[in-house]
Amino acid sequence: MAELVYKDPYLMIGSDDLSKYVRQVTISYAAEIKDTTAGPTTARTKIAGLTDWSVSIELNQDYDAGAVDDVLFDLVGAEEFDVKINPKGAVTGADNPQFSGKGLLADYQPLAGSIGEVITAPITIEGSGVLARARS
């Protein structure tokens, strides 16, 4: 197994490449677990239900035209958009999977920071549908 240092993130939101602003990304992918226990029994039984996913991202803020704030501000509460994330640059491959799906911008903090620190823009994207993983 190869260890990785996260240094070449790829992030597309809609048709906008925000890769150069990425500081941190966390993809959460989960399935509901449903209880099917019926008696008589001495142990619970369960089945997998629907899957769900979300992405938490921290970006360096940029207020220029076509940059972070310009891309994200109007997406809050708007219709779903395409999301694509690769850990090691834009070229998808066996060692660089692309995670993609339709998302909704659930949370955008257009100003987060302290005096003397870099202004960041934390966001949360909620998945709408399947999270796909491509390896080629």
Side-chain angles (χ1 to χ4, degrees), residues 11 52 69 81 117-118 133:
L11 172 65
D52 194 15
D69 186 66
F81 49 85
E117 299 296 328
V118 173
R133 183 181 67 157

Side-chain angles (χ1 to χ4, degrees), residues 69-129:
D69 186 66
D70 196 35
V71 169
L72 298 177
F73 192 84
D74 291 332
L75 289 179
V76 176
E79 297 200 13
E80 62 187 23
F81 49 85
D82 291 323
V83 179
K84 296 178 184 174
I85 302 168
N86 292 38
K88 300 188 320 183
V91 179
T92 302
D95 66 342
N96 190 32
Q98 180 174 89
F99 299 93
S100 63
K102 298 282 187 185
L104 297 161
L105 189 55
D107 183 52
Y108 167 51
Q109 297 175 38
L111 178 58
S114 301
I115 299 299
E117 299 296 328
V118 173
I119 295 174
T120 61
I123 66 172
T124 302
I125 297 170
E126 293 288 335
S128 178

